[in-house]
Amino acid sequence: MKRWLLSYDDKLPVSNIDPCLFYIFIPSVLIIFVYFHVDNFLVITSSEEWQQQFFADFNQTYPCVDEGTLTEILGIRMVFRDTGLLRECRMHQEGFIHRMLDRYGMAECNPSPTPMEPKLVLTPADPQEPTSGRPYANLAMELMWLARCTRPDIMTAVCYLARFMHCHTEEHWQHLLRVLRYLKGSLVRLNGSTVMYSSRLQKTVALSTADAELVALSETAQDIEHLIHLISEFAPVQLPVVLHGNNHASVLQAEGALNNTATRHITVRDRYVAKLVELGRVIIAKVPSAQNLANFFTKSLAANRFHLLRSIVLRYFQGTVG
């Protein structure tokens, strides 16, 4: 499929950043995005004539079905709504959640206000003892797919509980089911307010909180650079991009204002964000702990705090699934 697209039209170039994306972007004249994934592809265009010709040409080589306006892709439902000047697209996996609830016997369960108990600490099961016998890994991976696609509000809980896939007990299983009970009581749809998020253990051992925060800033700066390069292919990007940090010492390190015996062990890789600051592509802004949205992805929170941060990270929230 990619070979055909490469030879189809020399005016339809492939992205230098994403090898699956082809596009023409001439504002107010012609906008075309063609994105393919395995044997599925998505076409977004401002020209119905171009779209019809494209499908006619493509169908001569690869028999295909034009399914019309996008309603679902990779199991993610798309809901479009006109909001005046713009057309809004909201994504959700409500059907996937319902199927999970049925499959694990939780369709009639009592909802939970949060996906995880505050300050939860679990210990791995004895490796010499058999596991609970529950389909723990299956449920954990299904929840991980959901968290990665449309439900960042369960990312912290799922990442933590996934650590026990090979050493779990009935207690671990019940905490995993709590995530399902939370999903039973909430339906969150992502509409563009959050486009990239991550919650994972760092690959290196940090010697201090400042070190750990600096690593997080540098990894986030890499994601920012990726988005800058991608968007810059077809639209100007206003620089610098604001990157928020919570730790004062790490912010100073990222700005290149702190260089002493306490920081001489930091690698060039972890100083990447400082280079972007120097080049004027990123500026660092310190955010108070009470307003730090990253807490949503790094720790289990009490219900009131969790719901407050969720309402900020996800601008659209609708009551119940069941």
Side-chain angles (χ1 to χ4, degrees):
M1 185 183 297
K2 182 176 181 179
R3 184 176 300 176
W4 185 90
L5 286 169
L6 287 170
S7 62
Y8 177 65
D9 186 345
D10 57 6
K11 297 184 181 65
L12 186 68
V14 62
S15 167
N16 294 318
I17 307 303
D18 190 332
C20 296
L21 174 65
F22 294 75
Y23 69 91
I24 296 175
F25 193 84
I26 308 174
S28 302
V29 179
L30 181 62
I31 297 175
I32 298 168
F33 291 100
V34 179
Y35 193 89
F36 72 91
H37 178 82
V38 192
D39 59 351
N40 294 298
F41 63 93
L42 175 65
V43 177
I44 302 173
T45 176
S46 60
S47 171
E48 185 175 348
E49 179 182 354
W50 187 95
Q51 175 184 321
Q52 293 175 351
Q53 186 62 52
F54 173 82
F55 278 110
D57 295 340
F58 188 85
N59 199 48
Q60 292 179 7
T61 305
Y62 298 101
C64 65
V65 177
D66 181 359
E67 297 185 348
T69 302
L70 179 67
T71 58
E72 182 173 341
I73 185 168
L74 300 177
I76 302 172
R77 296 286 297 178
M78 303 289 183
V79 180
F80 294 93
R81 188 181 70 173
D82 291 325
T83 60
L85 296 177
L86 299 175
R87 196 178 188 204
E88 182 181 76
C89 175
R90 295 180 176 179
M91 302 183 294
H92 72 88
Q93 291 173 282
E94 182 179 349
F96 183 74
I97 293 173
H98 278 302
R99 290 191 292 273
M100 272 201 303
L101 291 169
D102 290 336
R103 187 160 49 250
Y104 294 100
M106 300 292 285
E108 303 300 327
C109 68
N110 293 323
S112 171
T114 61
M116 188 178 183
E117 290 182 9
K119 301 180 180 179
L120 177 66
V121 177
L122 297 173
T123 56
D126 187 338
Q128 303 302 320
E129 297 293 329
T131 58
S132 66
R134 304 285 193 173
Y136 192 97
N138 290 348
L139 177 54
M141 295 310 295
E142 289 181 54
L143 291 171
M144 184 64 75
W145 168 249
L146 184 65
R148 287 174 60 89
C149 292
T150 60
R151 294 301 296 260
D153 51 326
I154 66 171
M155 178 67 81
T156 302
V158 175
C159 286
Y160 179 71
L161 294 170
R163 301 178 194 176
F164 306 99
M165 281 197 285
H166 303 293
C167 51
H168 58 270
T169 64
E170 184 65 23
E171 180 185 12
H172 296 87
W173 173 250
Q174 291 302 319
H175 283 288
L176 201 59
L177 290 182
R178 178 190 173 102
V179 182
L180 286 180
R181 288 197 295 272
Y182 167 73
L183 292 172
K184 173 66 166 59
S186 66
L187 172 59
V188 177
R189 290 172 179 161
L190 191 64
N191 74 339
S193 58
T194 302
V195 297
M196 184 177 290
Y197 52 91
S198 176
S199 177
R200 63 177 181 267
L201 289 175
Q202 293 182 355
K203 298 178 181 179
T204 57
V205 177
L207 300 182
S208 66
T209 301
D211 287 2
E213 294 279 356
L214 181 63
V215 170
L217 286 173
S218 287
E219 291 184 352
T220 304
Q222 294 173 46
D223 291 334
I224 290 174
E225 272 292 275
H226 167 75
L227 291 176
I228 290 174
H229 291 315
L230 179 62
I231 297 172
S232 295
E233 289 194 321
F234 43 84
V237 177
Q238 184 175 353
L239 298 176
V241 175
V242 179
L243 175 57
H244 292 92
N246 177 238
N247 180 274
H248 182 66
S250 67
V251 170
L252 291 178
Q253 290 181 46
E255 293 175 336
L258 191 61
N259 188 9
N260 52 35
T261 56
T263 62
R264 61 187 178 186
H265 64 282
I266 297 174
T267 64
V268 173
R269 177 184 178 87
D270 295 335
R271 293 183 186 273
Y272 177 73
V273 64
K275 188 65 177 178
L276 294 185
V277 171
E278 180 184 336
L279 294 173
R281 298 179 69 79
V282 169
I283 59 174
I284 310 297
K286 190 174 184 300
V287 59
S289 296
Q291 301 172 21
N292 187 12
L293 299 183
N295 290 338
F296 187 69
F297 299 103
T298 59
K299 59 189 70 174
S300 56
L301 303 169
N304 58 345
R305 182 66 179 159
F306 176 84
H307 292 155
L308 173 62
L309 293 182
R310 183 181 64 182
S311 67
I312 299 173
V313 174
L314 300 172
R315 293 187 301 179
Y316 178 82
F317 175 69
Q318 175 177 320
T320 60
V321 171

